[in-house]
Amino acid sequence: MKKLNKKQKTTLIRMGISVALLIPALLIQNMVISLILYILSYLVIGYEILIKSVKNIIRGDIFDENFLMTIATIGALVIKQYPEAVAVMLFYEIGEFFQEYAVEKSRKSISDLMEIRPEHANLITNEGIITVQPETVKAGDIIVVKPGERVPLDGIVIEGHSALDMSSLTGESLPADINPDDTVLSGSINTFGMLKLQVEKPYNQSTVAGILDLVENASSRKAKTERIITRFSRFYTPVVVICAVLLAIIPPLLFRQRLTDWIYRALVFLVVSCPCALVLSVPLSFFSALGSASKNGILVKGGNCLEALASTNSVIFDKTGTLTKGIFKVTAIHPEKLNSQQLLDIAATAESYSDHPISKSLKAEYAKQIENGRISEIKEIAGQGIKAVIDGRKVSVGNENLMEADGVEWHRCNLAGTIVHVAVDDEYMGHIVISDEIKKDAARTVEELKGMGITDISMLTGDNKSAAYHIADKAGIENVAHSLLPHQKAEYVNNKPKDKGAVVFVGDGINDAPVLAQADIGISMGLSGSQAAIEASDVVIMDDKPSKVPLLIRLSKKTMRIAKQNMVFAISVKLIVLIAGAAGLASLWIAVFADVGVSFLAVLNAMRLLKKKV
Amino acid sequence: MKRTYKLNNLDCAACADKIERKISKLTGVKQVNLNFFTKKAAIETDSEEIFCECEKILKKHAGTFEIE
């Protein structure tokens, strides 16, 4: 409790003075003096609430907590329950104090995440380096990032070496080495070297803008549990207030009961009718969970996603870029009619216009400048490959389906990996083997999911059978669907039974937007993915580790448990106190506890979600 | 059009819910999201005049606000 703000400090002082006035008031026998002390003590602690509620009444806002507390305590004063009137105000303020402190703490841990917003960019112009707003920088501009500065925009390094601290983006504390030609993401911090970057995207399309937008709007996608409790609280307060009025009027009027007794019971109702414990308890659980996920490098678009994830029944992984690193390398060239270099030349030229990882690996292996003039009539056939005319000859480069379609007699390869077949004028020329490496945590991910009781785990890929099983076996996944076209992946996800629980699809987010959309929860990889992926998916894993999936599911289950505990606890305590209050068994002290005490405990419970370990 | 407001005096969760409901009932408001925990209100509307209406509500129920 070191960092108290000014308002909190004055509240503490007011509490102290109020208590100091209350104690002699309780001890002194003289009625008049003790009454004066009570009133002073009441005013010192309650004046803020009194002023607020007067303001509220002027604008026509009744049923707000300040108003309810004012009526309840003034009522207590009127029926001469002086110590209780002061105590209600006092405990209400103490409860609010702790509750605010706790909310502030979780708010802080989440706003730390929001601090990834870059302040400025150092733009290189003809007149030298000028400092500008990141929003004004255009794609293609060159900027300088000095040591200690936050990278303001996504870009490619053209000069300089350094290490980037990406902990605010990915949760990974180890800085990543950065060299020329590497892509750097906005929001990361440059640790030591001076970097010159070519900006790739304007600010509003950058990683940092995408993350901030997502975090700021996360609470709009509310979970069902949140909606239920908010709706409940909307009618709860008016109903309880009406009950209070009836309680004060009917028994004394019809059954000649003592008026003050029943007014006292009505006051208990007024105190318990405060809605904040209810409105706070459940949403705070979800909010804390979103914060905790962010801390772990997982961006979740809303409470509704957590709710669905808690009921996960099937998890479907895409292979490339999700379970594997997505870094392809040519591992073998098997020519049949030409020599190796000629085969590679045709394949690399055919794929020269594509950004697919396979194409990139071919170009990387070829390592020579490709003459654009040699190639024409390029046709990309989704899930099959590329057809084009190179040096005046008809060329097909792609998988076995493409060869079959053209009636080319192709040959099988025994090596694991993606096989790129090459045919010239419908004659088979040979194939190139490209393979990818499995991510370190892939097998652990599958194991953890199975340990949680999620048995329906599968892997999808557009690659051939041998490449698919090569990875699936290492990851420990038995259900494999291979050689799929993009729409077949979407169909596969769509065919999963939806009534047993959520169907989760995990992809790299580059070209699987339709598949992400078919799943109940679409999870994409943020580092290899793009802003388009962030938009298309419900969850983004910033450091591309599949092991974040089981971690997230664990967190969602914990969140639902805590949200439900809070809901049941808040509602049941209030109901019990209402019943006891109506029967004349509950004092105003207990009523105050049912309001602020419950809020405070619910906040503490929700804060368990912010613990580092999930 | 989208605008984010920071509401520093927002101190009660039920009030936040009330403000959100009132703004969402205005015609021309496409989306409103009031986050009690970040003390931020993100509002999307059709036109500038509607922001004025929203700001009136914010001012009335949350006291002061800052445009981000």
Side-chain angles (χ1 to χ4, degrees):
Chain A
M1 289 249 190
K2 274 176 200 156
K3 290 173 211 145
L4 295 177
N5 61 32
K6 213 175 154 194
K7 192 185 149 207
Q8 286 169 321
K9 275 183 198 150
T10 41
T11 310
L12 271 184
I13 294 168
R14 279 172 39 219
M15 282 178 198
I17 297 175
S18 177
V19 171
L21 291 165
L22 181 62
I23 294 168
L26 287 165
L27 298 174
I28 288 170
Q29 299 295 324
N30 185 317
M31 283 285 282
V32 181
I33 297 174
S34 91
L35 179 61
I36 291 169
L37 287 173
Y38 278 130
I39 303 263
L40 281 176
S41 171
Y42 174 78
L43 288 177
V44 167
I45 193 68
Y47 76 90
E48 232 184 46
I49 291 166
L50 295 174
I51 292 169
K52 271 191 199 165
S53 57
V54 170
K55 278 189 189 161
N56 285 345
I57 295 166
I58 293 167
R59 23 174 153 94
D61 254 354
I62 51 166
F63 295 152
D64 123 293
E65 51 181 356
N66 297 308
F67 174 77
L68 294 168
M69 282 300 157
T70 304
I71 299 289
T73 49
I74 290 180
L77 291 175
V78 169
I79 59 168
K80 297 186 177 153
Q81 298 286 347
Y82 307 117
E84 302 220 5
V86 180
V88 166
M89 271 299 182
L90 201 55
F91 281 103
Y92 177 74
E93 281 283 12
I94 293 172
E96 285 283 293
F97 180 82
F98 279 111
Q99 178 193 311
E100 200 165 298
Y101 180 76
V103 170
E104 195 58 46
K105 215 170 163 193
S106 49
R107 180 181 283 155
K108 172 93 178 56
S109 76
I110 291 157
S111 62
D112 281 350
L113 184 89
M114 314 279 273
E115 272 166 28
I116 57 174
R117 191 188 299 277
E119 310 260 285
H120 64 269
N122 306 313
L123 182 68
I124 298 188
T125 63
N126 294 333
E127 288 88 49
I129 297 173
I130 54 167
T131 304
V132 296
Q133 292 288 312
E135 288 85 351
T136 61
V137 180
K138 292 185 285 294
D141 283 349
I142 311 284
I143 57 167
V144 172
V145 185
K146 294 175 194 157
E149 281 187 345
R150 200 174 283 285
V151 177
L153 297 128
D154 296 350
I156 291 178
V157 178
I158 50 176
E159 211 181 291
H161 301 267
S162 183
L164 289 186
D165 174 1
M166 310 229 276
S167 56
S168 55
L169 295 177
T170 64
E172 171 66 59
S173 50
L174 208 66
D177 286 333
I178 290 296
N179 294 305
D181 288 336
D182 285 344
T183 305
V184 296
L185 297 180
S186 49
S188 45
I189 295 170
N190 184 13
T191 55
F192 62 86
M194 181 88 105
L195 290 175
K196 214 181 243 186
L197 304 183
Q198 175 155 38
V199 176
E200 276 191 303
K201 292 173 225 160
Y203 179 75
N204 60 13
Q205 289 170 26
S206 68
T207 306
V208 92
I211 293 172
L212 286 172
D213 192 56
L214 196 148
V215 174
E216 278 175 6
N217 290 310
S219 72
S220 66
R221 293 175 47 159
K222 290 192 175 81
K224 239 184 274 159
T225 332
E226 269 180 278
R227 284 184 210 283
I228 291 171
I229 196 113
T230 321
R231 232 172 265 164
F232 177 80
S233 72
R234 283 176 198 164
F235 74 83
Y236 167 82
T237 306
V239 167
V240 176
V241 171
I242 291 167
C243 288
V245 174
L246 296 178
L247 213 53
I249 298 172
I250 293 178
L253 214 61
L254 297 185
F255 307 106
R256 293 170 176 259
Q257 301 272 339
R258 246 180 68 182
L259 184 65
T260 48
D261 280 358
W262 288 89
I263 286 184
Y264 187 85
R265 293 179 194 189
L267 296 177
V268 169
F269 265 55
L270 284 183
V271 173
V272 180
S273 74
C274 278
C276 273
L278 298 174
V279 193
L280 196 67
S281 57
V282 174
L284 183 65
S285 312
F286 285 99
F287 184 68
S288 306
L290 296 178
S292 167
S294 311
K295 252 192 198 167
N296 282 294
I298 311 168
L299 302 179
V300 183
K301 275 199 185 161
N304 58 346
C305 303
L306 291 171
E307 197 163 45
L309 278 163
S311 72
T312 302
N313 181 58
S314 340
V315 179
I316 304 158
F317 289 98
D318 193 24
K319 180 178 80 85
T320 308
T322 304
L323 289 176
T324 69
K325 289 180 178 165
I327 302 162
F328 292 88
K329 275 179 84 171
V330 172
T331 45
I333 301 175
H334 296 160
E336 297 200 0
K337 295 271 160 60
L338 310 159
N339 68 32
S340 298
Q341 200 51 42
Q342 285 169 319
L343 192 70
L344 183 62
D345 173 71
I346 294 174
T349 309
E351 300 265 358
S352 60
Y353 283 91
S354 170
D355 266 336
H356 194 275
I358 299 275
S359 319
K360 284 186 182 163
S361 67
L362 285 168
K363 281 179 269 182
E365 182 71 17
Y366 185 60
K368 277 187 272 182
Q369 194 65 38
I370 291 162
E371 291 168 40
N372 293 334
R374 289 170 58 200
I375 179 165
S376 60
E377 292 174 44
I378 307 161
K379 223 165 71 188
E380 195 161 349
I381 299 155
Q384 294 196 346
I386 284 172
K387 284 182 169 195
V389 172
I390 298 174
D391 302 332
R393 301 172 78 189
K394 203 180 113 203
V395 170
S396 324
V397 176
N399 61 17
E400 55 263 32
N401 293 337
L402 185 72
M403 297 294 121
E404 291 286 341
D406 286 352
V408 175
E409 268 191 49
W410 57 281
H411 300 141
R412 201 166 281 287
C413 183
N414 292 326
L415 293 177
T418 304
I419 315 292
V420 180
H421 298 278
V422 178
V424 174
D425 291 332
D426 291 341
E427 197 184 341
Y428 193 59
M429 292 291 142
H431 55 253
I432 297 170
V433 185
I434 294 167
S435 18
D436 188 6
E437 223 180 307
I438 189 163
K439 282 182 188 168
K440 265 190 213 142
D441 57 341
R444 198 183 85 217
T445 302
V446 174
E447 202 180 305
E448 278 184 36
L449 287 172
K450 285 180 180 166
M452 264 180 234
I454 297 167
T455 46
D456 185 10
I457 302 169
S458 41
M459 187 190 87
L460 307 184
T461 179
D463 285 348
N464 64 32
K465 196 174 169 184
S466 76
Y469 277 97
H470 178 69
I471 297 296
D473 288 346
K474 281 189 182 171
I477 298 177
E478 290 93 30
N479 306 326
V480 178
H482 56 83
S483 317
L484 299 178
L485 297 170
H487 76 268
Q488 289 174 317
K489 285 188 187 176
E491 266 166 38
Y492 183 93
V493 171
N494 201 20
N495 285 337
K496 282 277 170 198
K498 304 248 173 183
D499 49 343
K500 284 187 195 159
V503 178
V504 176
F505 174 77
V506 193
D508 65 359
I510 294 174
N511 44 25
D512 44 16
V515 196
L516 287 167
Q518 276 304 323
D520 294 322
I521 295 293
I523 302 180
S524 68
M525 299 290 172
L527 215 56
S528 60
S530 54
Q531 218 212 348
I534 298 182
E535 268 165 37
S537 43
D538 303 297
V539 174
V540 183
I541 296 177
M542 292 306 294
D543 57 3
D544 289 11
K545 285 188 183 143
S547 55
K548 292 290 167 74
V549 176
L551 184 140
L552 180 62
I553 295 176
R554 259 200 312 277
L555 176 70
S556 347
K557 289 190 185 213
K558 194 172 166 190
T559 310
M560 292 312 291
R561 217 163 41 231
I562 288 180
K564 276 180 194 152
Q565 284 165 1
N566 278 353
M567 180 156 84
V568 171
F569 178 60
I571 294 181
S572 52
V573 169
K574 291 213 164 197
L575 281 183
I576 290 168
V577 175
L578 284 177
I579 293 166
L585 298 169
S587 67
L588 279 171
W589 301 69
I590 292 175
V592 166
F593 171 77
D595 183 49
V596 283
V598 166
S599 298
F600 178 60
L601 290 177
V603 170
L604 283 189
N605 197 21
M607 278 174 71
R608 290 198 291 141
L609 289 162
L610 288 169
K611 272 191 295 189
K612 185 111 191 153
K613 207 166 172 299
V614 180
Chain B
M1 275 192 282
K2 233 177 171 178
R3 204 173 275 177
T4 310
Y5 297 92
K6 175 102 184 160
L7 310 167
N8 285 318
N9 292 339
L10 188 67
D11 54 6
C12 123
C15 319
D17 177 52
K18 194 183 285 171
I19 298 171
E20 188 176 273
R21 256 185 306 158
K22 284 204 171 163
I23 291 180
S24 67
K25 277 181 192 155
L26 293 175
T27 41
V29 172
K30 279 185 186 161
Q31 212 192 7
V32 51
N33 169 30
L34 209 141
N35 188 334
F36 169 67
F37 305 108
T38 55
K39 298 193 178 186
K40 276 183 184 175
I43 304 173
E44 197 180 343
T45 69
D46 295 331
S47 71
E48 192 62 36
E49 297 94 71
I50 295 155
F51 279 123
C52 291
E53 291 296 313
C54 297
E55 283 168 14
K56 268 184 211 158
I57 294 177
L58 291 177
K59 191 150 192 104
K60 194 169 149 194
H61 295 280
T64 57
F65 60 80
E66 288 163 36
I67 297 173
E68 286 206 341

